[in-house]
Amino acid sequence: MLDILSMVGIPVEDLPSDRRREKMAGACLATGQIISSFKQAKSVMNGSFLKTRDIISFENTHYGEHISPGSYDDIRRKDLKILVEEGLVVNSSSIDQAATNNPNRGYSLDAQFANLLKAYGTKKWDERLSVFIEMRQKVKQELEKKRMMAKIPVTLPSGIALELSSGEHNLLQKKIIEEFLPKWGMGASVLYVGDTSNKYLFLDNKALESLHFFPIDHDELPDIVAYSKEKNLLYLIEVVHSSGPMDELRVARLKKKLADCTANIVFFTAFLSRRMYQKYCLNIAWETEVWIAEIPDHLIHLNGYKYLEINK
């Protein structure tokens, strides 16, 4: 699988370790429900979608892994992220006809990629690979044209102008920067903004280092980081469109990484709508905050003791 991913243009060697490469390959195989032969590969055409916990279970059962069920977020954020971005794995939330309450929501192999896998080791492989790569290049060129035509302009509190890629995720990032921070940011300046097509769209590395922030290439980096010098508050803001609120595991990991941080840390999860918040509210960690763009003048605090004046 690693050989195939490399041949279709996935930067396998850029991953930080052999284990990370192995985990990506395993998740890809599990998504296609492949046990012993690439000919078994299932795809979106089979209506075959596995949730992240199902992928863990599949890997443990068939590949001799011992992945903790609680590591489900790692599957999405680490193992499958590049493959989804490159279109080899499909998230069912990106398919219009997939209803929000569809129990089969999850991940599946792209149909064309699954067909390519089935040709591996056969006489048709070279021809299929050539066609697949040519097709991917054309798709990328078309997508790039559309992205350039549909940029989302955003202005940071400092006055710096940026352009985000199109999409609801980045539309919410714009609202956070231009509506949330002026109202709730205590004069905060933006230190980091990640874009769906450029992870380091904006980065004030010097300011982050002065606060003893963890290395910016870490996988746990939230979507937006802002800092209020007036209140010494560091805002870690996760933008939720299809997945990924500040859950207990995520917050615990961030706190561990930020043990030496000199600022007081505030964890935020942001949503476009109350409907989207309702979908994820049971997964949001205590001692964190929520902002919903459709009701921008209100916050949801998951730490009531502050308002009861009870000491911890």
Side-chain angles (χ1 to χ4, degrees), residues 208-227:
L208 288 171
E209 288 178 352
S210 71
L211 296 170
H212 294 186
F213 200 83
F214 57 75
I216 53 89
D217 60 348
H218 195 274
D219 290 324
E220 296 296 337
L221 197 65
D223 292 306
I224 296 174
V225 178
Y227 176 63

Side-chain angles (χ1 to χ4, degrees), residues 62-190:
H62 298 289
Y63 306 153
E65 287 281 8
H66 300 282
I67 304 170
S68 167
S71 300
Y72 61 90
D73 206 37
D74 285 348
I75 300 295
R76 177 185 65 84
R77 295 183 63 85
K78 298 178 181 180
D79 303 343
L80 290 180
K81 185 174 181 179
I82 296 175
L83 303 180
V84 171
E85 289 175 352
E86 292 293 328
L88 303 184
V89 171
V90 177
N91 186 334
S92 64
S93 66
S94 66
I95 302 175
D96 293 338
Q97 59 266 36
T100 301
N101 60 354
N102 185 345
N104 296 317
R105 284 170 64 84
Y107 295 90
S108 184
L109 293 183
D110 169 72
Q112 307 246 355
F113 182 56
N115 286 335
L116 174 68
L117 291 178
K118 292 175 182 178
Y120 187 71
T122 72
K123 295 179 180 179
K124 298 179 180 179
W125 169 251
D126 289 337
E127 180 184 353
R128 291 266 185 96
L129 177 62
S130 178
V131 171
F132 184 81
I133 291 174
E134 183 179 355
M135 176 197 69
R136 271 173 54 79
Q137 289 174 339
K138 288 181 179 179
V139 170
K140 280 189 173 183
Q141 288 171 358
E142 288 300 316
L143 286 175
E144 188 59 31
K145 288 180 183 177
K146 290 180 180 179
R147 287 185 185 127
M148 293 304 294
M149 293 174 64
K151 290 285 186 179
I152 299 173
V154 60
T155 303
L156 302 185
S158 62
I160 295 175
L162 302 175
E163 287 189 333
L164 298 168
S165 303
S166 62
E168 290 192 359
H169 182 276
N170 284 340
L171 179 61
L172 180 52
Q173 293 211 116
K174 176 182 173 69
K175 289 180 178 293
I176 290 167
I177 292 168
E178 296 183 347
E179 296 180 35
F180 167 78
L181 286 177
K183 182 178 291 291
W184 302 104
M186 309 291 184
S189 57
V190 174

Side-chain angles (χ1 to χ4, degrees), residues 217-267:
D217 60 348
H218 195 274
D219 290 324
E220 296 296 337
L221 197 65
D223 292 306
I224 296 174
V225 178
Y227 176 63
S228 167
K229 187 175 181 180
E230 175 188 345
K231 298 292 184 179
N232 194 31
L233 290 178
L234 186 67
Y235 291 74
L236 303 188
I237 307 170
E238 191 67 17
V239 176
V240 176
H241 170 51
S242 59
S243 58
M246 283 288 187
D247 60 19
E248 299 285 355
L249 181 61
R250 185 88 190 284
V251 169
R253 287 174 173 171
L254 284 168
K255 284 182 176 179
K256 184 177 180 181
K257 289 291 177 184
L258 291 167
D260 297 326
C261 182
T262 57
N264 298 311
I265 303 165
V266 186
F267 300 93

